[in-house]
Amino acid sequence: MTANSTLARDFVKFTSYTDGRDKIYRTVQYVTRWLIWYSENGEHSSSDLLIRIKNLEAAVSLSRKLFRMARSMDFLQKASDAMKIPDDVLMTFEVLGMLGKAIWLLADHVIWFGKVKVIKVDMNWWSKISAWTWLFGIVSLILRDLRKIQNIAERAKALKVSGDSHAASTLRKEYRAARIELIKNFCDMWIPLGTLGYANKGYGASGGVVSSLIGFRQLWFKTVAK
């Protein structure tokens, strides 16, 4: 079997998962958003091309809102499960992060119904609610990730005394996972900041591209390159 056919099989397997397809759509959404920002701030943009890119971004963005319908229930379940975490600080940040994301998606659902004209919606108000709750959730998860890294550092100090190589290997994996989540959440944070006007929208689009690629890589190795 050639490398190309293997890659094709892996890609088909990846896109057979709903999350896999969403990772691709998300990457396209933020790449096009970045291109829009770059074109609108550059001198060599083609108006016809820009319109096409804007149409693609709008279509992908609206489609993703539909695909995420009822996903807020998943985050509410995760918030409930997080109540069992023994570390009170870690538990608090995890619960707040999941609740923030749940409310963000609920607001996103309302926006979708408004965009397809099922109900009349104040888009500006709901967009702000969506952005603020997403920002709240992301900041909470960043604090969660920092707490995880702090806990890992404390456990690493204890391992230096015991010299347990197997536990040290497990701890390194946990540290890498926590660090990647921190980077991804930090990049995501710029998206709502850009939406709310507290940061350049180019930063938000760039952060979205980076976090999307990280998420794509994580899911690829989880589902395909096992």
Side-chain angles (χ1 to χ4, degrees), residues 195-206:
T195 301
L196 293 166
Y198 292 109
N200 187 304
K201 287 189 176 182
Y203 293 158
S206 299

Side-chain angles (χ1 to χ4, degrees), residues 20 25 39 62 65 69 107 169 176 179 187 196-198 216:
Y25 301 149
S39 297
L62 190 62
K65 291 182 189 299
M69 196 64 68
S169 176
R176 283 196 294 269
R179 185 179 61 181
C187 291
L196 293 166
Y198 292 109
F216 183 98

Side-chain angles (χ1 to χ4, degrees), residues 76-136:
L76 287 174
Q77 183 61 55
K78 287 180 179 179
S80 176
D81 293 341
M83 298 293 289
K84 301 173 186 176
I85 297 175
D87 184 328
D88 288 341
V89 175
L90 194 60
M91 180 269 290
T92 300
F93 290 142
E94 181 80 19
V95 170
L96 290 176
M98 293 301 112
L99 287 177
K101 284 198 165 188
I103 299 171
W104 156 57
L105 283 184
L106 283 172
D108 220 36
H109 301 341
V110 174
I111 292 171
W112 182 85
F113 281 111
K115 282 185 176 291
V116 298
K117 304 188 185 303
V118 172
I119 57 176
K120 190 175 181 179
V121 170
D122 183 341
M123 289 294 182
N124 185 54
W125 190 84
W126 280 103
S127 293
K128 286 183 178 179
I129 293 295
S130 176
W132 274 114
T133 51
W134 190 14
L135 179 62
F136 175 81

